[in-house]
Amino acid sequence: MERTLNSELTDKIGEPVRTAGWVSIRRDHGKLIFLDVRDRSGEVQCVVTPKAEDALAVAKTLRPQWVVEIEGEVKERPENMKGAGVCGGVELVARRIAVLSQAEELPFDMAAELNLDTHLDYLPLTLRTKRSRDIFTMQAAILDAYRRSLIAQGFTEFAAPALVGGDAEGGAAAFKVEYFNDAVAFLATSPQLYKQIMVGPFERAFTVAKIFRAEKSATTRHLSEATCIDFEMGFVENEHAVMRALERSIRDVVEEVSRTHADMFERFGTTPPLTPEHFPVLTLQEALKALGKKEAPDMEPEDERGICEWAKKERGSDFIFITRFPTKKRAFYTYEDPAEAPYSRGFDLLFRGLEINSGAQRIHDQAMLVERMRDRGLDPQKFRYYLQAFKYGMPPHGGCSTGLERFTARMLEIPNVKEATAFPRDMNRIDVRLSD
Ligand code: AMO
C-alpha cells in the first residue's frame, strides 16, 4: 500500500490507508490509546482500540518522537469533536503499527517554553516543534515570494562567491581564510562587488547569498553568518528607483505570506504587516527631528524603534525608509551628488523597529570610484578585478540587501534573530556553545 499523507486523509474516509510520521503525544484513555502523529503535511489523531490487539501492544510502548508506520482506516470525527488544522476532521483507526525508529526519553517536554540557549543547544530536536516549523516555513515562503517578485521585475539570479580575495566592503569585519597560495582570502561580508559586476551582463541581477561578519558582540540582531537577498539594477536616476523595486518586492512578499499563512500570524500573536502603497520616506535629519533628537550621523537602535512607532501611528505603515545618511558613514561605493553633499544616496529600510535592508545608488564613474577608494585609504590596485566592470562601461545603477533572518524575525515579531536562523552562528556558538 502506498503511503498517504495526513492532509490527504480527509479524501479517504472509510478507506484503508498507510501513513507514517513522528509520535507527538500519546494519551491513554482506559482501554484506548490516542496518538497524535505528525508528518510533513500536518498532525492527525490516531486511535488504537483493543480490537487491534498487536497494534495496542505496540502503542503501549510508544513515546514522543518515535517514528512509526500505521495502517488503518480513516474515520470522520463527530462534528463536536473535530480538531483544528488540515487533518482535524478525521482520525485514523489503527490496525497495525510498526516502529521505524525509537527515540530516547526527551530532555524536556516539547510544549515547554525553553530559554533560547537551551533551545539552540537542542536544535536537532527543537526544530521539530510547531513554533520552529512555523518560523522556517515562513522563512521559506518569504524567500520564495521575494525571488518570484524579483524575477517578475526582470532580475536574473546568480550564485555569488563566498570566498573572496579582498574584503567586499573594504574594512567591514571579515573572517580570514588561510589556504590560498601567496594570498590571504576572506569569507565574503557581502556579495556587493559581484552583484555590481552582474549589472554588466544582466542589467538587473540578484543573489541569495551567505554573508559572514566577524561581529564583535553577540546581540539580538547580529549573526556571524547571515543570508541576504541582494539585488542590483542598472539605469537608475537615483536611489528612489531602487527603493521602488524593493517596496514592490516587500509588498509582494507580505501579500503572499498573509494569504498563505494567516494562521501563523495568529499563533505568533501578531498580524500581517501594514504595507501602504508607498512606504513613508524620511531623511535621517527629519527622522531625528520627529523623535525630538539633535542632528546625528546615524540612528541608534532605540531611534529605529522610535521612528517605526511613529511610521505606524502617523502613516499606517510597518515599514519606513530613511535616506540621506552622511556619505562618510556609508560604504565607499555609495554615490554622492555634489549638489547634495555631504549626504549620500544611501538608504535603510526599517521594519517593526529594526533595519532589515540597506541600499544605495552607486558610483558608476571609474575615476570617481578610484578617487573615493583613495579617500578611504583603500588601494585601487586591490580592486582592479572589480574595476574592470567600470572600465568597460557601467550605467548609473543601484541596489540593496535584505537580511532574511531579520526580515523573518520581524514578520513574526520574534525578539531574537537567532530564533529565526535554522543554525545560528555568533561569537559564542557554532552549533554548540563554544565555551563548553
Ligand atoms: P549591510 O551591511 O547593511 O549592507 O547589510 C545588509 C543587510 O543585511 C543584514 N545583515 C545582518 N543580519 C544579521 N546579522 C548580521 N551580522 C548582519 N549584517 C547585515 C541586515 C542588513 O540590513 N552591501 C550592502 C548592501 C547594499 O548596499 O546593497 C551591505 O552589506 O538586514
Side-chain angles (χ1 to χ4, degrees):
M1 209 187 316
E2 258 191 41
R3 179 181 171 205
T4 302
L5 288 176
N6 287 341
S7 63
E8 297 163 346
L9 294 176
T10 22
D11 299 330
K12 303 218 167 180
I13 291 167
E15 291 178 36
V17 293
R18 181 171 69 85
T19 68
W22 288 260
V23 174
S24 304
I25 299 172
R26 183 186 106 200
R27 287 181 299 271
D28 296 2
H29 268 284
K31 288 182 179 155
L32 304 180
I33 292 180
F34 293 91
L35 305 168
D36 287 346
V37 180
R38 165 180 68 88
D39 70 11
R40 68 177 188 270
S41 70
E43 208 165 70
V44 84
Q45 174 169 279
C46 173
V47 193
V48 199
T49 72
K51 268 198 233 162
E53 211 177 301
D54 292 349
L56 194 66
V58 177
K60 279 182 185 158
T61 67
L62 298 177
R63 287 197 310 260
Q65 301 306 317
W66 283 39
V67 185
V68 293
E69 187 178 77
I70 303 176
E71 282 177 20
E73 194 182 310
V74 186
K75 282 247 168 82
E76 189 164 13
R77 294 177 75 173
E79 208 54 49
N80 60 345
M81 307 267 287
K82 281 190 176 164
V86 278
C87 326
V90 291
E91 64 188 10
L92 182 61
V93 182
R95 224 176 24 222
R96 188 185 74 85
I97 300 178
V99 174
L100 301 184
S101 175
Q102 300 187 357
E104 282 185 21
E105 197 172 330
L106 305 189
F108 36 72
D109 177 357
M110 292 289 270
E113 219 175 279
L114 302 174
N115 78 44
L116 186 61
D117 264 319
T118 309
H119 169 79
L120 297 179
D121 287 344
Y122 287 93
L123 275 177
L125 177 62
T126 52
L127 280 170
R128 299 178 186 189
T129 59
K130 178 76 175 153
R131 182 175 164 92
S132 273
R133 285 183 291 123
D134 271 351
I135 294 170
F136 296 106
T137 302
M138 173 59 80
Q139 189 160 84
I142 290 174
L143 188 53
D144 178 53
Y146 210 131
R147 199 176 239 133
R148 281 188 285 120
S149 177
L150 289 174
I151 291 169
Q153 295 184 66
F155 288 83
T156 301
E157 183 167 6
F158 76 101
L163 281 171
V164 298
D167 166 36
E169 299 281 317
F175 292 101
K176 249 188 206 171
V177 179
E178 293 188 25
Y179 164 78
F180 297 92
N181 285 338
D182 302 325
V184 180
F186 296 91
L187 294 180
T189 56
S190 159
Q192 181 66 33
L193 308 191
Y194 300 92
K195 66 178 173 172
Q196 285 186 264
I197 292 171
M198 283 305 202
V199 170
F202 294 117
E203 194 182 307
R204 293 184 167 202
F206 80 98
T207 184
V208 179
K210 280 290 183 164
I211 63 161
F212 304 88
R213 305 254 172 125
E215 299 288 354
K216 292 283 182 313
S217 59
T219 75
T220 58
R221 297 170 289 140
H222 290 105
L223 299 158
S224 303
E225 178 179 337
T227 310
C228 282
I229 308 163
D230 271 62
F231 71 77
E232 200 69 20
M233 55 201 278
F235 303 100
V236 301
E237 247 172 61
N238 51 42
E239 72 275 37
H240 290 271
V242 180
M243 288 155 63
R244 277 195 298 276
L246 172 61
E247 198 174 79
R248 171 159 167 206
S249 292
I250 299 283
R251 188 154 342 83
D252 286 349
V253 168
V254 170
E255 241 168 55
E256 177 68 14
V257 302
S258 313
R259 197 171 55 74
T260 48
H261 295 300
D263 53 330
M264 240 179 243
F265 288 98
E266 229 174 89
R267 283 197 287 279
F268 280 76
T270 179
T271 50
L274 302 172
T275 52
E277 196 184 338
H278 296 295
F279 298 171
V281 182
L282 293 184
T283 65
L284 174 63
Q285 302 315 330
E286 285 168 348
L288 293 169
K289 202 167 156 204
L291 295 171
K293 295 218 164 172
K294 287 200 302 270
E295 274 204 21
D298 212 341
M299 293 182 101
E300 299 295 328
E302 66 185 63
D303 302 331
E304 298 190 345
R305 283 192 291 274
I307 206 65
C308 284
E309 278 166 27
W310 177 92
K312 185 160 190 165
K313 194 160 155 253
E314 300 295 327
R315 303 285 176 85
S317 178
D318 274 314
F319 294 88
I320 179 168
F321 281 112
I322 308 295
T323 61
R324 299 287 141 122
F325 292 87
T327 308
K328 61 176 192 293
K329 295 296 281 183
R330 306 295 281 197
F332 73 86
Y333 44 75
T334 310
Y335 184 74
E336 177 192 271
D337 187 297
E340 297 159 358
Y343 301 107
S344 73
R345 291 200 173 166
F347 62 84
D348 282 355
L349 178 68
L350 313 184
F351 175 31
R352 290 181 167 162
L354 184 65
E355 176 210 307
I356 61 154
N357 176 293
S358 191
Q361 182 183 346
R362 326 292 188 188
I363 300 175
H364 66 280
D365 178 79
Q366 191 192 187
M368 193 189 280
L369 190 53
V370 168
E371 192 188 315
R372 179 69 70 72
M373 286 173 175
R374 291 211 172 98
D375 282 354
R376 297 278 172 109
L378 299 168
D379 178 5
Q381 193 50 23
K382 285 195 177 154
F383 289 87
R384 64 186 185 280
Y385 180 80
Y386 161 70
L387 283 169
Q388 289 180 76
F390 301 82
K391 193 168 163 186
Y392 300 118
M394 177 66 107
H397 64 285
C400 62
S401 171
T402 299
L404 179 63
E405 298 85 358
R406 287 192 183 183
F407 193 11
T408 310
R410 295 329 294 142
M411 188 73 88
L412 293 173
E413 300 209 59
I414 298 164
N416 195 319
V417 75
K418 288 180 195 91
E419 213 197 337
T421 312
F423 301 102
R425 276 91 174 86
D426 66 24
M427 67 187 306
N428 299 318
R429 174 184 299 277
I430 295 180
D431 295 340
V432 293
R433 278 183 250 192
L434 298 173
S435 53
D436 285 356

